[in-house]
Amino acid sequence: MSMIDHVEKIESMVTSGRVPGTARSLVNLERITEVLTEMRADVPEQINEAQAVLRQKEAVLKQAEMEARRIRGYADEEATTIRQLAEEQSSSMLETSREEARKMVEASEVTKASHERANEIIQEAEAKAAQMIADAKQSVNGIIADAEQQAEERRKGADNYAREVLFSLEERIADTLGQVRGGIDLLDSRSLAVAD
């Protein structure tokens, strides 16, 4: 039974015991004491609910962190693969260019034209290799940035969800405690009025 149900039960006992024509009520102290004892027993249950919400938040955060690590690991592997591929292709192109330049020199007399062409080929290959490496780095940085952004968004979502659940639980507990306090104050004031 919830705290609100307990408070409503006490309120029903108080209102049903009204003495006609007066503002006084006759209540069964044993029954009210039983309800108050049940309320005290239910308070740990409310606390357990709050702890369950906190555990749920921690589980969501842990899952988000694991997902972020998985995405980061995937991004690192992807980056390594792209970098290795770019380096292999650039090495292959440089080697091909050098071999081509060497063959041109060997095939004929060393002339100014062959030297210039060989240098052009090498420069083109080096420029392409540098561009491929720069593209690979940019792609890797984009993958890593996306992974970190996704992890941060999941972390924020988990925090917001836990905050909303805890605010709702806090409001319910505050409401219930306010009603319990009101009931106790009413009983105290009536006990004092009966004693007078």
Side-chain angles (χ1 to χ4, degrees):
M1 187 179 285
S2 73
M3 299 293 283
I4 292 172
D5 292 335
H6 287 305
V7 171
E8 287 174 355
K9 193 172 179 181
I10 291 173
E11 187 178 355
S12 171
M13 287 180 192
V14 171
T15 55
S16 67
R18 237 179 242 288
V19 176
T22 68
R24 298 177 182 248
S25 291
L26 296 175
V27 293
N28 184 331
L29 289 176
E30 284 182 19
R31 288 184 61 207
I32 287 182
T33 304
E34 286 175 16
V35 174
L36 290 173
T37 303
E38 289 174 13
M39 286 173 68
R40 283 191 194 97
D42 284 344
V43 167
E45 185 179 323
Q46 303 290 331
I47 291 169
N48 287 339
E49 282 182 24
Q51 289 173 339
V53 169
L54 287 174
R55 283 194 298 272
Q56 188 178 13
K57 176 198 170 194
E58 289 170 5
V60 169
L61 284 174
K62 189 172 183 180
Q63 185 179 1
E65 287 173 5
M66 287 171 56
E67 184 68 12
R69 280 197 293 271
R70 187 188 67 73
I71 291 170
R72 179 64 188 257
Y74 173 76
D76 287 343
E77 287 177 17
E78 192 75 17
T80 301
T81 303
I82 291 170
R83 193 178 293 122
Q84 285 175 347
L85 185 60
E87 287 173 358
E88 286 172 8
Q89 287 179 346
S90 66
S91 294
S92 174
M93 287 176 69
L94 282 171
E95 187 58 39
T96 302
S97 299
R98 287 192 179 110
E99 184 64 24
E100 199 174 311
R102 188 184 61 76
K103 285 179 181 176
M104 285 175 67
V105 170
E106 288 175 357
S108 63
E109 290 292 318
V110 177
T111 63
K112 186 178 178 182
S114 67
H115 278 296
E116 287 175 1
R117 180 66 186 136
N119 287 335
E120 285 173 12
I121 291 170
I122 291 171
Q123 286 174 359
E124 285 173 11
E126 286 174 349
K128 284 182 183 176
Q131 184 61 46
M132 288 176 75
I133 290 170
D135 290 346
K137 285 180 182 175
Q138 186 175 0
S139 176
V140 166
N141 290 338
I143 291 169
I144 290 171
D146 286 347
E148 288 173 351
Q149 182 180 357
Q150 286 179 13
E152 182 61 24
E153 286 172 2
R154 288 184 185 194
R155 213 173 287 117
K156 284 180 182 176
D159 284 348
N160 287 338
Y161 170 75
R163 186 176 292 110
E164 287 173 15
V165 171
L166 290 173
F167 279 149
S168 172
L169 186 59
E170 179 185 35
E171 286 175 7
R172 285 177 30 213
I173 290 173
D175 252 2
T176 303
L177 289 176
Q179 291 173 4
V180 169
R181 175 49 50 203
I184 291 170
D185 290 346
L186 179 64
L187 292 174
D188 287 347
S189 69
R190 288 189 180 161
S191 294
L192 291 174
V194 168
D196 290 344

